[in-house]
Structure formats: structure tokens, C-alpha cells
Amino acid sequence: MLQLAQVDQVTYQSYLKQHAASFMQAPVWAQVKPEWSSEYVGWYSQESQLVGVAMILYRKMPGLKKHLAYIPRGPVIDWNSRQLEQWFQPLFAYLLKQDAFTVKMDPPVPLAHWRAAAIEAYLDKVQEYGLRNKELRDIAMDQVDPQSEYIQQALTEMGWSRKEREEENTVQPQYTFRIPLQGRTAKQLRQGLSPSWEKNLQIASQQGVLVRSGNASDLPTFYSLLKEKAEKEGKGIREFAYFERMFRALSAESEADSPLQLAEQEGIIQAGAIKVSMGEQVWSLYAASKVNPVHLPAKVLLFWEMISDAHEKGATVFDFRSMSPVLDPATSSYDELTFLLGAGGVACEYIGEWDYPLHPMLHWAFEMYMKKR
């Protein structure tokens, strides 16, 4: 049986550098969440070798001396293990001692993949026949990982429960859109773009659109773009202070590379994105552009420059991080979906968000409270 214990931040970060992990398991991400406390734990083999780690976030529940424990896009363990219980039984025992009443996680485990070309072909049929209520899972998957099916089965047998896919209040996006970079030349990446992206890149060049790194003084303008996007989609948006914390934390982590990237024309910011790099992966966390379609070339150029920069620096994946699985031209997310597909990447579905009730009655009460909010 593996043993679980606290590890110091230096040991933790050293392990992360040697293993593929999400930026949400990085210590810098905890700095963006001041309402949560955090700690680092590690799994040790019988030979006292560190074989897995996790950053656990804790949030105290009002009126209780108990905490919600959350492992964002983790833990960083051997998910190919055929004995997953040996990883989680020590975790449950440890969290009970930490006064946690439930633990939530979004495992970094892909379930299925779809190529952009396959999605675009299906969208043509959706429009041609006027199909309704179609989603990504209505398309034949290009790749399904049997290991992910086993993982879901093993978690269920342990007592974990998964949030249903139709629930929109999951913490992390279950569907992402990624551009594979490994083993591809810059020319091959460019050839993978859709005619629409290629046309918009030419227009951006003709219009004199430029991409540059942003600084703290650019944040208010970027935030206004985010608000405009949220209003168009009928969604809420975090307070400005959240993005200030994020910018400071990510800037301190990589002083030579600003997390804020901007596209502007004649000194006016048309589009922006906050990116984060970790290991061989680059993510776009938040992105927005002026709603008017005439500003689309700036958005296309911005992301092409970010993808190209990631490729030049040796990244293996550029991840747009979030995409809607809804294939309905009438929805507010449809334009964003077609934009992503133009980059010529791959849509990915993860196995989703899972909960384990360490104290079943308190967990039930918490679920009822969340549903009434």
C-alpha cells in the first residue's frame, strides 16, 4: 500500500517538472484563489520513493468546522494503474484527519477525441437538414481510450460519483480544444488552418494588426472585452480583482513572458488573452475580442501568434481549454465553436468532475445547499 504525506513546495515543484501536469496543480494557481487554503501531498512507495503528488485546496464551510477538499485537474498519479484504490484509500484517510467532509476532483484523464474536420463535416449536415439538439457526442469519436472507461468504473466502485454532463456548474470545463504541436513543422501547422483563418490572417496583415505583450495598465481594457463577451453569451464574469491577482501571480512566475497577450490596430486593443505555460503545455485561460465580426482578423492573428510562439519554444500542445459541446447554430457559443475548429485541432472530452463523500450526511446537506443557490 502506498503512503501519503505532506511534501514541501520545493519537492512538489521538482516532481511536477518531471511529470506532465495541469497548470491548475501548480502552486501559482493557489495564489489566484485566496478564499482557499492549500497544501501539497505526495504518495510514497514501500521503497520511500515519491511516485505521485497533488495540490489540495481547502475551503471552510460556513457554520461548520469542516472543509471541502478540491484537487483541480489532478491528482498527478499513475492513472494507468490497475489498482487505483491503492492511491485513494490513503488520500481518504488523510483528508478525514484534515476535517474534510467531501473531496472533489477533475481527473486529467481524456475520454474521447474528435478531429476538427469531422466536427465541421457534421456541422454542415446540421445546417443542411436543420437538425436540433445535437451535441459533440452525436458524432462518431475518432479515438476512445479503454483505460478511461476502466478508470470511471474503478472510481464508481470506490464510491466516487460523477457530475452529470448536462450540469453546467462543474468547476472545470469537461470539453477542451487542443492543437497538437509535437512532431509538426511550422509549415504543417499553417497548412492545418481553415481557409477562414488563412483569409483573416491576410486581412490582419493588410490592416496593420499587431500582437504584443500586455502589462498591468492594459488589464482594464482587456476586462472590458471580457465583460462584453459575457454579456453577449448571457453569462456572469468574475470581478476585476480576480484577474489582477492572476496577472500578478503568473507574471511573477515567468518574468520574461507576460501572461497577457494583445492584438491591436492603430493603438486600439481589439483582442486579448491570458495564457499560462507549464512544462511542455500552453493554455489560453481567458480570451475575448470586440464583438463586432470586423475585428475577427485581430483575434485570429492573436491566437496564431500564440500557437506559433508555443511551437517555437518546444511546447507539445496548445490548449484553448474550453469549448461548448453544443452544435446548434442558434446558440451564442456557435461562433466561438467555429472559430476554434478553424485552428485545425482536436476536441477532447475529459471524464469530468467527481465527488467522494467522506461524511455522507454533510455531503448531502452541502449538495442540497448548492442546488438552492
Side-chain angles (χ1 to χ4, degrees), residues 123-175:
L123 286 177
D124 289 341
K125 299 299 181 183
V126 168
Q127 293 189 315
E128 179 181 353
Y129 294 102
L131 302 179
R132 298 185 180 88
N133 304 317
K134 293 300 178 182
E135 294 195 356
L136 195 57
R137 275 189 156 266
D138 291 313
I139 306 174
M141 304 169 190
D142 289 306
Q143 179 182 343
V144 179
D145 186 355
Q147 178 67 17
S148 66
E149 298 286 351
Y150 164 75
I151 290 170
Q152 293 180 89
Q153 175 180 288
L155 292 177
T156 301
E157 291 174 353
M158 265 185 271
W160 290 89
S161 60
R162 183 183 59 186
K163 289 277 189 182
E164 293 301 321
R165 288 190 177 89
E166 60 266 20
E167 294 187 28
E168 296 184 357
N169 61 338
T170 51
V171 181
Q172 303 300 336
Q174 189 169 349
Y175 294 88

Side-chain angles (χ1 to χ4, degrees), residues 7-236:
V7 295
D8 60 80
Q9 185 170 325
V10 173
T11 301
Y12 179 78
Q13 289 186 300
S14 176
Y15 189 89
L16 284 187
K17 289 180 179 179
Q18 301 172 39
H19 299 80
S22 167
F23 69 93
M24 282 176 280
Q25 278 290 289
V28 66
W29 194 242
Q31 299 175 33
V32 185
K33 310 285 185 180
E35 67 274 23
W36 298 76
S37 59
S38 62
E39 70 169 340
Y40 316 112
V41 299
W43 283 263
Y44 289 87
S45 67
Q46 292 182 343
E47 294 77 26
S48 299
Q49 179 182 0
L50 185 63
V51 293
V53 297
M55 181 177 74
I56 306 175
L57 303 180
Y58 295 98
R59 189 164 188 175
K60 188 176 181 297
M61 293 296 100
L64 294 175
K65 293 183 179 180
K66 298 292 182 181
H67 297 80
L68 167 67
Y70 175 43
I71 307 175
R73 253 332 170 239
V76 185
I77 60 175
D78 178 13
W79 285 99
N80 290 318
S81 170
R82 297 304 296 270
Q83 294 180 315
L84 285 176
E85 66 277 0
Q86 72 172 334
W87 297 89
F88 289 103
Q89 293 306 325
L91 176 65
F92 299 151
Y94 180 86
L95 291 175
L96 282 169
K97 294 178 181 178
Q98 302 299 99
D99 288 326
F101 71 91
T102 194
V103 57
K104 181 185 297 291
M105 68 174 179
D106 340 83
V109 178
L111 173 61
H113 298 82
W114 295 264
R115 290 177 297 108
I119 302 173
E120 288 177 323
Y122 191 81
L123 286 177
D124 289 341
K125 299 299 181 183
V126 168
Q127 293 189 315
E128 179 181 353
Y129 294 102
L131 302 179
R132 298 185 180 88
N133 304 317
K134 293 300 178 182
E135 294 195 356
L136 195 57
R137 275 189 156 266
D138 291 313
I139 306 174
M141 304 169 190
D142 289 306
Q143 179 182 343
V144 179
D145 186 355
Q147 178 67 17
S148 66
E149 298 286 351
Y150 164 75
I151 290 170
Q152 293 180 89
Q153 175 180 288
L155 292 177
T156 301
E157 291 174 353
M158 265 185 271
W160 290 89
S161 60
R162 183 183 59 186
K163 289 277 189 182
E164 293 301 321
R165 288 190 177 89
E166 60 266 20
E167 294 187 28
E168 296 184 357
N169 61 338
T170 51
V171 181
Q172 303 300 336
Q174 189 169 349
Y175 294 88
T176 68
F177 193 79
R178 305 186 296 188
I179 310 297
L181 306 176
Q182 189 173 27
R184 301 174 69 185
T185 65
K187 182 178 180 180
Q188 289 171 330
L189 284 174
R190 186 71 180 246
Q191 290 173 337
L193 302 181
S194 70
S196 173
W197 266 55
E198 192 62 55
K199 178 181 178 180
N200 277 294
L201 285 176
Q202 294 174 9
I203 294 174
S205 177
Q206 294 167 1
Q207 293 179 343
V209 178
L210 299 174
V211 173
R212 67 172 176 86
S213 295
N215 52 47
S217 66
D218 295 310
L219 275 178
T221 303
F222 174 64
Y223 187 68
S224 68
L225 294 178
L226 288 174
K227 288 180 67 176
E228 186 179 359
K229 176 184 177 183
E231 290 171 2
K232 178 188 176 184
E233 297 177 351
K235 298 180 180 179

Side-chain angles (χ1 to χ4, degrees), residues 351-364:
I351 65 172
E353 180 181 309
W354 294 72
D355 294 330
Y356 185 89
L358 297 163
H359 288 283
M361 287 303 296
L362 287 177
H363 176 82
W364 177 84

Side-chain angles (χ1 to χ4, degrees), residues 223-288:
Y223 187 68
S224 68
L225 294 178
L226 288 174
K227 288 180 67 176
E228 186 179 359
K229 176 184 177 183
E231 290 171 2
K232 178 188 176 184
E233 297 177 351
K235 298 180 180 179
I237 184 174
R238 293 180 181 271
E239 71 283 0
F240 180 67
Y242 175 81
F243 294 94
E244 285 185 306
R245 289 195 303 272
M246 182 184 298
F247 180 81
R248 286 196 302 267
L250 296 179
S251 295
E253 186 77 3
S254 179
E255 297 180 0
D257 190 16
S258 172
L260 180 59
Q261 298 296 302
L262 303 167
E264 61 182 19
Q265 182 181 7
E266 298 181 352
I268 299 176
I269 296 173
Q270 309 286 359
I274 293 180
K275 70 172 184 178
V276 61
S277 303
M278 182 169 161
E280 297 181 342
Q281 301 179 76
V282 177
W283 293 263
S284 168
L285 302 191
Y286 290 90

